[in-house]
Amino acid sequence: MKTLKIAAIPGDGIGKEVVPAAIDVLNTVSDIHGGLTFDFTSFPWSCEYYLEHNKMMPDDGMERLQDFDSIFLGAVGDSNLVPDHISLWGLLIKIRREFDQVINIRPAKVMSGVRSPLINPKDFDIIVVRENSEGEYSAIGGNIYNGEDELAIQNAVFSRKGTERVMRYAFELAAKRKKHVTSATKSNGITYSMPFWDKIFKEIAKEYPEISTDSQHIDALSAFFVTRPERFDVIVASNLFGDILSDLGAAIMGNIGIAPSANINVNGKYPSMFEPVHGSAPDIVGKGIANPIGQIWTAKMMLDHFGEEDLGNTLLTVIESVTNDGILTPDLGGKHSTKEVTNEIIKRLIAVDKKGVHSK
């Protein structure tokens, strides 16, 4: 029996609704598999926790998380309670940085039954591989002077180690897919970091002669996401560019509520973290209409990470069978509740032939 210890952090808002839903799905997957179990431990760290303790997690929070196989996160943030820069840097970004989760993966694809805002989406299937530890989101900079002389400086940091690492990850991923990697750049406008990025991309590409490549400026690439998304396979991007592209990818899918992501620790020293792209959506909390698909698709990515790709693919197939039959929450134009969508996914998982979902 393979047991995976998972730290569940529902967080804020609808995270407290969709994380339990996804856990129910994962427990069903475990029952189907027969040789895999999940041992979940839930942590109440959130903006409400901050109001009580003046911190987003206890002082020993990172030490407590370190022994888990992975972290399953819901949503972080409620600006009505705590400013976003406090909640994010005190929980989400703290975990990403201190656990060396240096790569962020965000897929975007046409989902059966989910209407894309594109007139003809042409079955696009994209994965954005985002550098997750440095780049434009470095914490180097500061503010000086006051009044009309006030000045803010934000330094972007690109190391050879971090850049090579994310690019190699993208090429390895592309080798399992359609064997194409696109680099997101802006070397015609950003003087130093992007020519550096381009140089390293060309160097790494030589190590993978079987993988075709191209390099696109971020502004043109964003336009192509809307006009020709089917041309792309794996896209490797800096922290900022990857963040923007992956949200755009969620938008052309039809709704950010279905988009998943994974924060990967590549050296195995710390757990990786899996979270949906959506926020805490405080406006719909308690209404029972939060879309659970983003969190459940995130569970699929967690299964993939642990080598259970057959199970993960089965789960995604079942999710798409549910959306294809119009069993959707209101954000996707449906009339079904969080519980109804979740229960239908569970029902169809149980109906799947067990022989088709056992891991290799």
Side-chain angles (χ1 to χ4, degrees), residues 43-152:
F43 295 93
W45 306 335
S46 62
C47 288
E48 290 180 356
Y49 183 93
Y50 181 90
L51 293 179
E52 184 175 351
H53 301 277
N54 202 36
K55 59 186 72 174
M56 290 297 294
M57 65 164 64
D59 294 337
D60 66 345
M62 298 300 292
E63 182 180 350
R64 293 165 67 180
L65 291 175
Q66 185 170 338
D67 292 333
F68 286 90
D69 294 309
S70 75
I71 301 164
F72 198 49
L73 180 68
V76 177
D78 185 342
S79 59
N80 294 319
L81 301 178
V82 179
D84 285 339
H85 70 280
I86 292 177
S87 61
L88 291 175
W89 282 89
L91 186 57
L92 174 64
I93 297 177
K94 181 178 178 66
I95 294 172
R96 284 180 178 175
R97 296 290 171 90
E98 294 188 24
F99 279 170
D100 292 338
Q101 294 169 351
V102 295
I103 292 172
N104 182 264
I105 309 171
R106 296 185 178 182
K109 67 186 293 291
V110 172
M111 292 283 286
S112 298
V114 176
R115 183 177 180 181
S116 168
L118 303 180
I119 294 175
N120 186 5
K122 296 183 181 178
D123 292 327
F124 65 83
D125 185 353
I126 302 167
I127 291 187
V128 175
V129 178
R130 167 191 174 192
E131 202 292 315
N132 207 36
S133 64
E134 51 183 38
E136 304 89 349
Y137 291 175
S138 77
I140 299 175
N143 297 76
I144 56 176
Y145 309 132
N146 294 302
E148 65 178 12
D149 294 322
E150 187 174 8
L151 179 64

Side-chain angles (χ1 to χ4, degrees), residues 152-276:
I153 299 173
Q154 178 74 47
N155 291 330
V157 175
F158 287 76
S159 69
R160 172 171 282 275
K161 178 181 178 180
T163 304
E164 287 187 354
R165 181 172 53 202
V166 71
M167 289 178 177
R168 285 199 175 92
Y169 194 99
F171 276 93
E172 293 291 339
L173 185 59
K176 302 175 184 178
R177 290 170 49 90
K178 294 180 287 187
K179 294 181 170 54
H180 186 85
V181 177
T182 299
S183 169
T185 185
K186 190 57 182 171
S187 50
N188 63 345
I190 300 177
T191 308
Y192 300 109
S193 61
M194 285 292 104
F196 177 77
W197 175 277
D198 291 350
K199 178 182 73 170
I200 295 178
F201 183 72
K202 290 178 181 178
E203 292 174 3
I204 301 300
K206 292 178 182 178
E207 300 176 12
Y208 299 87
E210 75 282 7
I211 306 295
S212 61
T213 65
D214 69 322
S215 184
Q216 298 285 340
H217 291 137
I218 185 64
D219 43 355
L221 183 52
S222 298
F224 286 139
F225 254 49
V226 175
T227 59
R228 296 181 61 193
E230 76 283 355
R231 67 176 289 188
F232 299 109
D233 179 20
V234 175
I235 296 174
V236 63
S238 67
N239 214 331
L240 174 62
F241 292 172
D243 194 4
I244 294 169
L245 285 174
S246 55
D247 275 12
L248 182 55
I252 62 174
M253 276 200 293
N255 193 285
I256 200 169
I258 63 176
S261 74
N263 301 280
I264 303 298
N265 170 268
V266 295
N267 60 25
K269 185 176 180 180
Y270 302 107
S272 296
M273 179 167 62
F274 301 84
E275 54 165 330

